[in-house]
Amino acid sequence: MLANFKKIGVAAAVATAIGAAGAAQAVTLGEPGVALLVPHVLYDSTKQADTMVGVTVGGSLYESCGNPTLHWYFFSDKSVHLADGAVASSCHDFVRIDWGYVITNPSRPFPGLDGVTGYLVIVNAEGSSVSDVDLYGSAYLIQGNWESEAYIPVLPLQKPELTFKSGVLADVNPVSAGMPLAYSSDVKAKFSLRYFLDPALNGNTRLVTWFPENSTARTDMPIFVFDADENAVSNIVSMPNELNVLCAGPSTTVDCLNPSGIDGTTNDPTGHAIPDLAYGQPAIDSGFIWFEVADGPATPASRGGIAFSLIGVGASSVQVQTDLAHERGVSNY
Protein backbone atom coordinates (compact mmCIF):
# COMPACT_ATOMS: atom_id res chain seq x y z
CA MET A 1 0.00 0.00 0.00
CA LEU A 2 2.91 2.35 0.61
CA ALA A 3 3.91 1.71 -2.98
CA ASN A 4 0.48 2.92 -4.05
CA PHE A 5 0.92 6.04 -1.93
CA LYS A 6 4.17 6.84 -3.71
CA LYS A 7 2.77 5.85 -7.10
CA ILE A 8 -0.10 8.31 -7.05
CA GLY A 9 2.19 11.14 -5.94
CA VAL A 10 4.52 10.42 -8.86
CA ALA A 11 1.56 10.15 -11.24
CA ALA A 12 0.26 13.52 -10.10
CA ALA A 13 3.65 15.14 -10.70
CA VAL A 14 3.88 13.61 -14.16
CA ALA A 15 0.34 14.77 -14.96
CA THR A 16 1.21 18.30 -13.90
CA ALA A 17 4.27 18.28 -16.14
CA ILE A 18 2.52 17.03 -19.29
CA GLY A 19 -0.91 18.62 -18.71
CA ALA A 20 -2.69 15.26 -18.97
CA ALA A 21 -5.19 13.41 -16.83
CA GLY A 22 -4.16 12.51 -13.30
CA ALA A 23 -3.66 9.06 -11.81
CA ALA A 24 -6.32 6.53 -12.68
CA GLN A 25 -6.16 5.04 -9.18
CA ALA A 26 -9.64 4.02 -8.04
CA VAL A 27 -11.10 3.62 -4.56
CA THR A 28 -9.58 0.60 -2.82
CA LEU A 29 -11.74 -1.31 -0.33
CA GLY A 30 -11.14 -4.55 1.56
CA GLU A 31 -7.39 -4.07 1.96
CA PRO A 32 -5.64 -3.50 5.31
CA GLY A 33 -4.32 -0.27 6.75
CA VAL A 34 -2.62 0.83 9.95
CA ALA A 35 -5.75 2.95 10.46
CA LEU A 36 -9.29 3.09 9.06
CA LEU A 37 -11.48 5.98 7.90
CA VAL A 38 -15.26 5.58 8.26
CA PRO A 39 -16.39 8.67 6.30
CA HIS A 40 -20.05 8.81 7.39
CA VAL A 41 -21.13 8.03 10.96
CA LEU A 42 -24.44 8.86 12.62
CA TYR A 43 -26.57 7.89 15.59
CA ASP A 44 -29.98 9.57 15.73
CA SER A 45 -32.34 8.14 18.35
CA THR A 46 -35.29 10.19 17.09
CA LYS A 47 -34.95 9.03 13.49
CA GLN A 48 -33.85 5.48 14.37
CA ALA A 49 -30.48 5.66 12.64
CA ASP A 50 -27.26 4.07 13.84
CA THR A 51 -23.84 3.08 12.50
CA MET A 52 -22.21 -0.30 13.08
CA VAL A 53 -18.46 -0.68 12.53
CA GLY A 54 -16.48 -3.92 12.44
CA VAL A 55 -12.68 -4.06 12.72
CA THR A 56 -10.70 -7.23 11.98
CA VAL A 57 -7.22 -7.20 13.56
CA GLY A 58 -4.19 -8.92 12.07
CA GLY A 59 -2.99 -10.01 8.65
CA SER A 60 -1.35 -13.43 8.14
CA LEU A 61 -2.88 -16.31 10.06
CA TYR A 62 0.55 -17.04 11.53
CA GLU A 63 1.39 -13.44 12.32
CA SER A 64 1.88 -12.44 15.94
CA CYS A 65 0.41 -8.98 16.57
CA GLY A 66 0.02 -8.94 20.35
CA ASN A 67 -2.96 -7.32 22.04
CA PRO A 68 -3.38 -3.95 20.32
CA THR A 69 -5.53 -1.20 21.77
CA LEU A 70 -7.59 0.49 19.08
CA HIS A 71 -8.07 4.23 19.48
CA TRP A 72 -11.04 5.88 17.78
CA TYR A 73 -11.50 9.57 17.02
CA PHE A 74 -14.84 11.13 16.07
CA PHE A 75 -14.86 14.35 14.04
CA SER A 76 -17.72 16.64 13.01
CA ASP A 77 -18.51 17.33 9.36
CA LYS A 78 -16.13 20.30 9.64
CA SER A 79 -13.37 18.08 11.08
CA VAL A 80 -13.76 19.36 14.64
CA HIS A 81 -12.51 16.74 17.09
CA LEU A 82 -15.56 15.92 19.22
CA ALA A 83 -14.75 12.67 21.03
CA ASP A 84 -12.28 9.80 21.29
CA GLY A 85 -11.83 6.54 23.14
CA ALA A 86 -10.12 3.16 23.18
CA VAL A 87 -11.14 -0.45 22.60
CA ALA A 88 -9.09 -3.44 23.72
CA SER A 89 -8.43 -6.18 21.17
CA SER A 90 -6.15 -9.11 20.47
CA CYS A 91 -4.47 -10.63 17.43
CA HIS A 92 -6.99 -11.99 14.90
CA ASP A 93 -9.78 -10.38 16.87
CA PHE A 94 -13.03 -8.97 15.48
CA VAL A 95 -14.03 -5.77 17.24
CA ARG A 96 -17.62 -4.52 17.03
CA ILE A 97 -18.34 -0.81 17.48
CA ASP A 98 -22.00 0.12 17.88
CA TRP A 99 -21.80 3.90 17.58
CA GLY A 100 -25.14 4.46 19.29
CA TYR A 101 -24.04 2.39 22.28
CA VAL A 102 -20.65 4.10 22.42
CA ILE A 103 -22.08 7.62 22.78
CA THR A 104 -24.98 6.66 25.09
CA ASN A 105 -23.14 4.17 27.34
CA PRO A 106 -24.14 5.19 30.90
CA SER A 107 -20.63 4.51 32.21
CA ARG A 108 -19.10 7.03 29.80
CA PRO A 109 -21.68 8.87 27.68
CA PHE A 110 -20.91 11.58 25.14
CA PRO A 111 -23.74 14.11 25.58
CA GLY A 112 -24.72 16.05 22.51
CA LEU A 113 -23.58 13.54 19.87
CA ASP A 114 -27.03 12.05 19.37
CA GLY A 115 -28.11 13.30 15.92
CA VAL A 116 -24.67 14.59 14.89
CA THR A 117 -23.29 13.44 11.53
CA GLY A 118 -19.51 13.04 11.41
CA TYR A 119 -16.74 10.58 10.65
CA LEU A 120 -14.54 8.13 12.54
CA VAL A 121 -10.85 7.30 12.32
CA ILE A 122 -9.67 4.10 14.05
CA VAL A 123 -5.96 3.58 14.63
CA ASN A 124 -3.68 1.35 16.70
CA ALA A 125 -1.45 4.01 18.21
CA GLU A 126 0.08 5.16 21.46
CA GLY A 127 0.19 8.91 21.02
CA SER A 128 1.61 9.49 17.55
CA SER A 129 3.44 6.13 17.50
CA VAL A 130 1.42 4.02 15.06
CA SER A 131 1.68 0.23 15.05
CA ASP A 132 2.21 -1.81 11.88
CA VAL A 133 -0.62 -4.21 12.78
CA ASP A 134 -3.05 -4.70 9.89
CA LEU A 135 -6.60 -3.44 10.39
CA TYR A 136 -9.52 -4.33 8.10
CA GLY A 137 -12.82 -2.49 8.36
CA SER A 138 -16.48 -2.58 7.39
CA ALA A 139 -19.39 -0.33 8.36
CA TYR A 140 -23.15 -0.12 7.90
CA LEU A 141 -25.81 2.55 8.34
CA ILE A 142 -28.78 0.99 10.15
CA GLN A 143 -32.20 2.63 9.83
CA GLY A 144 -35.57 1.78 11.36
CA ASN A 145 -35.90 -1.37 13.43
CA TRP A 146 -33.12 -3.06 11.43
CA GLU A 147 -35.22 -2.46 8.30
CA SER A 148 -32.18 -1.29 6.39
CA GLU A 149 -28.45 -2.04 6.48
CA ALA A 150 -26.64 0.20 3.99
CA TYR A 151 -22.93 -0.36 3.35
CA ILE A 152 -20.60 2.51 4.26
CA PRO A 153 -17.20 2.28 2.50
CA VAL A 154 -14.24 2.10 4.89
CA LEU A 155 -10.89 3.35 3.57
CA PRO A 156 -7.60 1.86 4.83
CA LEU A 157 -5.00 4.46 5.81
CA GLN A 158 -1.20 4.26 5.85
CA LYS A 159 1.24 6.02 8.17
CA PRO A 160 2.14 8.89 5.81
CA GLU A 161 -1.59 9.68 5.53
CA LEU A 162 -1.98 10.40 9.27
CA THR A 163 -1.18 13.73 10.93
CA PHE A 164 -0.84 14.02 14.71
CA LYS A 165 -0.59 17.17 16.82
CA SER A 166 0.70 16.79 20.38
CA GLY A 167 0.04 13.06 20.22
CA VAL A 168 -3.59 13.46 19.10
CA LEU A 169 -4.81 12.56 15.62
CA ALA A 170 -5.63 15.76 13.75
CA ASP A 171 -5.98 14.98 10.02
CA VAL A 172 -6.07 12.13 7.53
CA ASN A 173 -5.63 12.09 3.77
CA PRO A 174 -6.52 8.71 2.17
CA VAL A 175 -4.32 9.05 -0.91
CA SER A 176 -3.55 5.36 -1.40
CA ALA A 177 -7.13 4.05 -1.08
CA GLY A 178 -9.33 7.06 -1.77
CA MET A 179 -10.77 8.60 -4.92
CA PRO A 180 -8.14 10.87 -6.54
CA LEU A 181 -8.87 14.58 -6.08
CA ALA A 182 -7.41 17.72 -7.63
CA TYR A 183 -3.69 17.86 -6.80
CA SER A 184 -3.07 21.45 -7.99
CA SER A 185 -5.04 24.62 -8.61
CA ASP A 186 -5.33 24.11 -12.39
CA VAL A 187 -7.03 20.70 -12.50
CA LYS A 188 -10.45 19.24 -11.67
CA ALA A 189 -11.50 15.94 -10.12
CA LYS A 190 -14.50 14.57 -12.00
CA PHE A 191 -17.02 12.04 -10.69
CA SER A 192 -20.73 11.33 -10.86
CA LEU A 193 -23.29 10.10 -8.33
CA ARG A 194 -26.53 8.23 -8.92
CA TYR A 195 -29.85 9.57 -7.68
CA PHE A 196 -33.36 8.10 -7.50
CA LEU A 197 -36.45 10.10 -6.50
CA ASP A 198 -39.47 8.22 -7.85
CA PRO A 199 -42.31 8.98 -5.36
CA ALA A 200 -44.17 5.81 -6.40
CA LEU A 201 -41.30 3.82 -4.82
CA ASN A 202 -40.57 6.22 -1.94
CA GLY A 203 -37.41 7.25 -3.77
CA ASN A 204 -34.98 9.56 -1.97
CA THR A 205 -31.26 10.14 -2.22
CA ARG A 206 -28.53 11.59 -0.03
CA LEU A 207 -25.22 12.39 -1.74
CA VAL A 208 -22.24 11.94 0.60
CA THR A 209 -18.83 13.45 -0.17
CA TRP A 210 -15.73 13.38 2.05
CA PHE A 211 -12.65 15.53 1.39
CA PRO A 212 -9.37 15.76 3.36
CA GLU A 213 -10.02 19.36 4.40
CA ASN A 214 -12.60 22.14 4.61
CA SER A 215 -12.43 24.46 1.61
CA THR A 216 -14.32 27.53 0.42
CA ALA A 217 -13.20 26.55 -3.10
CA ARG A 218 -16.09 24.07 -3.02
CA THR A 219 -18.68 26.80 -2.46
CA ASP A 220 -21.14 27.55 -5.29
CA MET A 221 -19.88 24.82 -7.60
CA PRO A 222 -21.68 24.01 -10.87
CA ILE A 223 -23.15 20.54 -11.30
CA PHE A 224 -24.80 18.84 -14.27
CA VAL A 225 -27.79 16.55 -13.83
CA PHE A 226 -28.61 13.93 -16.46
CA ASP A 227 -31.94 12.11 -16.22
CA ALA A 228 -33.04 8.77 -17.68
CA ASP A 229 -33.95 10.43 -20.99
CA GLU A 230 -30.50 12.07 -21.26
CA ASN A 231 -31.94 15.50 -20.54
CA ALA A 232 -29.43 17.76 -18.83
CA VAL A 233 -29.94 20.57 -16.33
CA SER A 234 -27.33 22.58 -14.43
CA ASN A 235 -27.37 23.83 -10.88
CA ILE A 236 -25.13 25.18 -8.10
CA VAL A 237 -24.24 23.34 -4.88
CA SER A 238 -21.84 23.95 -2.00
CA MET A 239 -19.68 21.30 -0.34
CA PRO A 240 -17.31 23.39 1.82
CA ASN A 241 -16.92 20.87 4.67
CA GLU A 242 -14.80 17.75 4.94
CA LEU A 243 -18.02 15.72 5.15
CA ASN A 244 -21.02 16.93 3.14
CA VAL A 245 -24.49 15.42 2.84
CA LEU A 246 -26.60 16.79 -0.02
CA CYS A 247 -30.25 16.09 -0.71
CA ALA A 248 -30.91 15.16 -4.33
CA GLY A 249 -34.36 16.73 -4.55
CA PRO A 250 -36.63 19.08 -2.64
CA SER A 251 -35.99 19.00 1.10
CA THR A 252 -39.73 18.62 1.67
CA THR A 253 -39.52 15.13 0.18
CA VAL A 254 -36.06 14.04 1.28
CA ASP A 255 -34.80 13.82 4.85
CA CYS A 256 -31.04 14.31 4.97
CA LEU A 257 -30.76 13.03 8.54
CA ASN A 258 -28.31 15.85 9.13
CA PRO A 259 -29.51 18.16 11.95
CA SER A 260 -27.61 20.82 13.89
CA GLY A 261 -24.01 20.00 14.70
CA ILE A 262 -22.47 20.06 18.17
CA ASP A 263 -19.83 22.57 17.04
CA GLY A 264 -22.46 25.31 16.83
CA THR A 265 -23.15 25.12 13.11
CA THR A 266 -26.44 24.21 11.50
CA ASN A 267 -26.64 21.71 8.68
CA ASP A 268 -30.08 22.72 7.43
CA PRO A 269 -31.33 20.28 4.76
CA THR A 270 -33.08 23.18 3.00
CA GLY A 271 -29.65 24.65 2.38
CA HIS A 272 -28.31 21.44 0.89
CA ALA A 273 -31.16 20.49 -1.41
CA ILE A 274 -30.96 20.38 -5.19
CA PRO A 275 -34.52 21.62 -5.71
CA ASP A 276 -34.92 21.69 -9.48
CA LEU A 277 -34.85 17.90 -9.85
CA ALA A 278 -38.53 17.68 -10.72
CA TYR A 279 -40.00 15.30 -8.17
CA GLY A 280 -42.72 13.14 -9.66
CA GLN A 281 -41.71 13.21 -13.32
CA PRO A 282 -40.65 9.65 -14.25
CA ALA A 283 -37.70 10.44 -16.50
CA ILE A 284 -36.26 13.12 -14.22
CA ASP A 285 -36.73 11.05 -11.09
CA SER A 286 -33.73 8.85 -11.93
CA GLY A 287 -30.28 9.61 -13.30
CA PHE A 288 -26.87 10.84 -12.26
CA ILE A 289 -25.22 14.09 -11.17
CA TRP A 290 -21.86 15.10 -12.66
CA PHE A 291 -19.36 16.93 -10.42
CA GLU A 292 -16.17 18.73 -11.45
CA VAL A 293 -14.34 19.76 -8.27
CA ALA A 294 -11.53 22.29 -8.68
CA ASP A 295 -10.28 22.62 -5.11
CA GLY A 296 -6.63 21.70 -5.53
CA PRO A 297 -3.83 23.38 -3.57
CA ALA A 298 -1.51 26.02 -5.04
CA THR A 299 1.43 23.64 -4.56
CA PRO A 300 0.89 20.20 -6.12
CA ALA A 301 0.08 17.60 -3.49
CA SER A 302 -1.70 14.25 -3.62
CA ARG A 303 -5.20 14.18 -2.12
CA GLY A 304 -7.78 11.43 -1.73
CA GLY A 305 -11.45 11.31 -0.76
CA ILE A 306 -14.65 9.31 -1.14
CA ALA A 307 -18.15 9.91 -2.51
CA PHE A 308 -21.27 7.74 -2.60
CA SER A 309 -25.05 7.88 -2.77
CA LEU A 310 -27.44 6.62 -0.10
CA ILE A 311 -30.50 5.74 -2.16
CA GLY A 312 -33.83 5.14 -0.45
CA VAL A 313 -36.31 2.89 -2.23
CA GLY A 314 -39.11 0.51 -1.33
CA ALA A 315 -42.26 0.27 0.73
CA SER A 316 -40.49 1.64 3.81
CA SER A 317 -38.97 5.12 3.68
CA VAL A 318 -36.01 3.93 5.77
CA GLN A 319 -34.75 1.29 3.33
CA VAL A 320 -31.42 2.48 1.89
CA GLN A 321 -28.90 1.15 -0.61
CA THR A 322 -25.35 2.37 -1.28
CA ASP A 323 -24.00 3.34 -4.69
CA LEU A 324 -20.32 4.33 -4.98
CA ALA A 325 -19.31 7.32 -7.09
CA HIS A 326 -18.36 6.79 -10.73
CA GLU A 327 -14.77 8.07 -10.92
CA ARG A 328 -14.08 9.99 -14.12
CA GLY A 329 -10.48 11.04 -13.52
CA VAL A 330 -8.53 14.19 -12.80
CA SER A 331 -7.69 16.53 -15.67
CA ASN A 332 -7.00 20.15 -16.64
CA TYR A 333 -9.91 20.46 -19.06
Side-chain angles (χ1 to χ4, degrees):
M1 292 301 292
L2 288 178
N4 284 341
F5 183 86
K6 295 174 182 176
K7 177 183 68 176
I8 194 169
V10 171
V14 172
T16 301
I18 65 177
Q25 173 97 354
V27 168
T28 300
L29 304 175
E31 292 192 1
V34 298
L36 302 169
L37 167 64
V38 187
H40 181 280
V41 173
L42 170 68
Y43 172 73
D44 192 314
S45 58
T46 301
K47 297 173 180 175
Q48 289 189 301
D50 195 6
T51 306
M52 302 290 184
V53 181
V55 180
T56 300
V57 181
S60 168
L61 182 62
Y62 305 102
E63 175 187 54
S64 176
C65 48
N67 297 298
T69 298
L70 306 181
H71 292 259
W72 59 262
Y73 297 84
F74 180 69
F75 299 88
S76 74
D77 59 348
K78 291 180 173 58
S79 197
V80 177
H81 178 199
L82 300 182
D84 57 76
V87 181
S89 70
S90 59
C91 197
H92 306 303
D93 196 3
F94 177 74
V95 178
R96 297 170 292 181
I97 301 176
D98 177 340
W99 182 238
Y101 177 79
V102 168
I103 65 174
T104 61
N105 184 352
S107 64
R108 191 197 176 193
F110 292 90
L113 293 186
D114 187 343
V116 175
T117 302
Y119 65 94
L120 273 173
V121 179
I122 302 166
V123 60
N124 177 21
E126 293 295 335
S128 58
S129 178
V130 181
S131 168
D132 288 322
V133 173
D134 288 333
L135 302 178
Y136 297 81
S138 56
Y140 301 89
L141 174 66
I142 309 300
Q143 292 191 174
N145 186 17
W146 288 90
E147 296 169 82
S148 179
E149 185 178 20
Y151 178 70
I152 299 297
V154 176
L155 296 179
L157 298 162
Q158 309 308 321
K159 287 183 181 180
E161 302 170 330
L162 307 172
T163 300
F164 289 83
K165 293 182 180 179
S166 302
V168 177
L169 184 70
D171 291 298
V172 298
N173 182 11
V175 174
S176 57
M179 177 176 69
L181 299 173
Y183 48 80
S184 67
S185 58
D186 59 348
V187 298
K188 301 176 182 178
K190 302 177 182 181
F191 59 93
S192 59
L193 289 168
R194 281 277 291 114
Y195 75 90
F196 181 78
L197 299 172
D198 188 346
L201 296 173
N202 287 320
N204 64 81
T205 303
R206 280 165 277 159
L207 309 174
V208 180
T209 58
W210 189 96
F211 299 92
E213 70 286 298
N214 302 306
S215 175
T216 57
R218 296 191 299 270
T219 302
D220 295 332
M221 296 190 315
I223 59 171
F224 306 91
V225 182
F226 295 86
D227 67 23
D229 283 345
E230 301 181 30
N231 297 310
V233 62
S234 60
N235 205 324
I236 299 292
V237 298
S238 292
M239 301 187 296
N241 303 336
E242 282 209 16
L243 171 62
N244 305 272
V245 181
L246 304 177
C247 290
S251 60
T252 56
T253 59
V254 180
D255 183 356
C256 267
L257 284 173
N258 200 23
S260 299
I262 195 173
D263 55 351
T265 60
T266 299
N267 300 320
D268 181 359
T270 61
H272 292 276
I274 305 174
D276 63 359
L277 296 184
Y279 192 73
Q281 299 184 28
I284 302 178
D285 279 338
S286 182
F288 66 92
I289 302 173
W290 183 292
F291 294 82
E292 296 190 358
V293 184
D295 63 345
T299 302
S302 296
R303 302 167 63 241
I306 187 75
F308 54 94
S309 300
L310 295 173
I311 299 176
V313 62
S316 172
S317 60
V318 300
Q319 293 180 10
V320 177
Q321 301 172 8
T322 306
D323 199 320
L324 287 175
H326 315 134
E327 300 180 40
R328 301 181 182 265
V330 180
S331 67
N332 59 357
Y333 56 85

